[in-house]
Amino acid sequence: MGRGKIEIKKIENKTTRQVTFSKRRSSVIKKTHELSVLCDAHIGLIIFSTTGKLYQYCTEPITMPQLIDRYLQTNGLQLPDPNDNRDEFFHEIEVLRRETCKLELRLRPYHGHDLASIPPQELDGLEQQLEHSVLKVRERKNELMQQQLENLSRKRRMLEEDNNNMYRWLDEHRTATEFQQAGIETKPGEYQQFLEQLQYYNDNQQQPNSFNQLAARLSEIDINYHLQLTQPNLQNDPTAKID
């Protein structure tokens, strides 16, 4: 019973593909050698694997380069001569060198060199080009400076806002501390409104220097807060007089 026909297509499994390549490569090289010996033929075989590894066979005593030269001569082909390409490269390098020298000579007047040999008409054109370049540079510099000023202004406003918030918090804390030390109590929700009226009054009057002046000022402010001075316990104070 003969083997079934195998479909010729790429083997997807990598391991199976590598095993098949190794076996069939050996078979192909063996058959090539047999054909060369039996028929006295000159055969050259070149194989590259999927990994780029080279396998080759050439009929002895001929070498592979000799066999390739024979193939080229038979078909009227010729490999490119490396010396010819070298001459072309040297020519291109020389052309590029001359172009570079010309560009450097054209740029020297822009740096203020070799101006004695330039006629007045060309000097006028050179001056206009330089002025235009300076104008573009100045515009770009002003644009960058404007952006920096805007950034600094934005940072300054943020710092001023943080500073005002800090001063407001310190002022509220100081006022609350003075009220606690004086024994003045306020109802919840009325302290902030009281501070706003006190701040408005302080903005139009001289700042108080003591708590007595602050208490006198409180009597002048028309507010609806329930401010209650804590009274001492007269029963515990034997020196207190009752009217």
Side-chain angles (χ1 to χ4, degrees):
M1 184 175 179
R3 293 185 301 176
K5 182 177 289 188
I6 300 176
E7 184 181 1
I8 304 300
K9 66 177 183 178
K10 180 181 178 181
I11 302 174
E12 297 298 334
N13 187 277
K14 185 177 180 180
T15 303
T16 305
R17 184 170 65 246
Q18 185 64 28
V19 172
T20 303
F21 172 78
S22 179
K23 291 181 179 181
R24 298 211 172 198
R25 181 198 69 223
S26 301
S27 300
V28 169
I29 293 177
K30 181 180 179 180
K31 293 295 182 181
T32 304
H33 175 69
E34 293 176 355
L35 179 62
S36 175
V37 173
L38 293 174
C39 300
D40 192 22
H42 296 166
I43 303 175
L45 177 64
I46 299 175
I47 302 174
F48 284 98
S49 66
T50 54
T51 58
K53 190 174 181 180
L54 171 64
Y55 302 91
Q56 64 179 355
Y57 171 82
C58 185
T59 302
E60 295 180 355
I62 301 175
T63 62
M64 185 63 73
Q66 292 175 350
L67 193 61
I68 293 175
D69 290 339
R70 183 177 176 182
Y71 168 78
L72 294 174
Q73 292 176 2
T74 302
N75 290 276
L77 301 177
Q78 185 178 2
L79 293 176
D81 189 1
N83 295 328
D84 296 340
N85 294 335
R86 186 180 304 173
D87 294 337
E88 293 180 1
F89 291 152
F90 286 155
H91 178 69
E92 292 180 0
I93 292 174
E94 186 64 26
V95 172
L96 292 176
R97 185 181 291 109
R98 287 196 296 268
E99 292 294 332
T100 303
C101 293
K102 290 181 181 179
L103 292 175
E104 290 178 352
L105 292 175
R106 291 181 60 183
L107 290 176
R108 286 183 62 84
Y110 291 94
H111 296 281
H113 303 294
D114 301 335
L115 298 178
S117 59
I118 300 178
Q121 295 80 4
E122 294 184 5
L123 289 176
D124 292 337
L126 178 63
E127 182 181 6
Q128 293 178 1
Q129 293 179 4
L130 291 175
E131 289 179 353
H132 181 71
S133 301
V134 171
L135 181 61
K136 300 291 290 186
V137 172
R138 188 177 292 112
E139 290 178 355
R140 178 56 181 169
K141 185 183 73 172
N142 293 334
E143 182 181 354
L144 294 176
M145 292 180 63
Q146 184 65 27
Q147 293 178 359
Q148 293 179 358
L149 290 176
E150 292 177 356
N151 294 334
L152 292 175
S153 178
R154 190 181 303 108
K155 291 180 180 179
R156 180 181 59 81
R157 290 194 298 268
M158 293 174 61
L159 292 175
E160 287 180 352
E161 184 177 357
D162 294 341
N163 193 25
N164 293 333
N165 294 333
M166 181 63 68
Y167 271 114
R168 189 180 301 108
W169 181 86
L170 291 174
D171 186 64
E172 293 176 359
H173 182 71
R174 178 180 59 82
T175 306
T177 302
E178 291 180 354
F179 277 130
Q180 292 176 0
Q181 292 177 355
I184 300 178
E185 297 179 356
T186 60
K187 289 186 176 181
E190 297 177 347
Y191 181 65
Q192 184 63 31
Q193 184 179 0
F194 167 74
L195 289 178
E196 292 177 358
Q197 292 193 13
L198 182 62
Q199 181 64 32
Y200 175 77
Y201 189 83
N202 289 336
D203 292 340
N204 297 277
Q205 300 291 335
Q206 185 178 2
Q207 297 291 335
N209 298 324
S210 64
F211 182 75
N212 293 331
Q213 294 182 4
L214 178 62
R217 182 166 299 179
L218 292 176
S219 63
E220 299 177 5
I221 301 176
D222 183 14
I223 59 177
N224 295 323
Y225 302 119
H226 299 276
L227 302 178
Q228 181 180 1
L229 293 174
T230 58
Q231 299 293 336
N233 192 348
L234 299 181
Q235 295 179 356
N236 297 332
D237 190 0
T239 60
K241 295 181 181 181
I242 301 177
D243 295 336

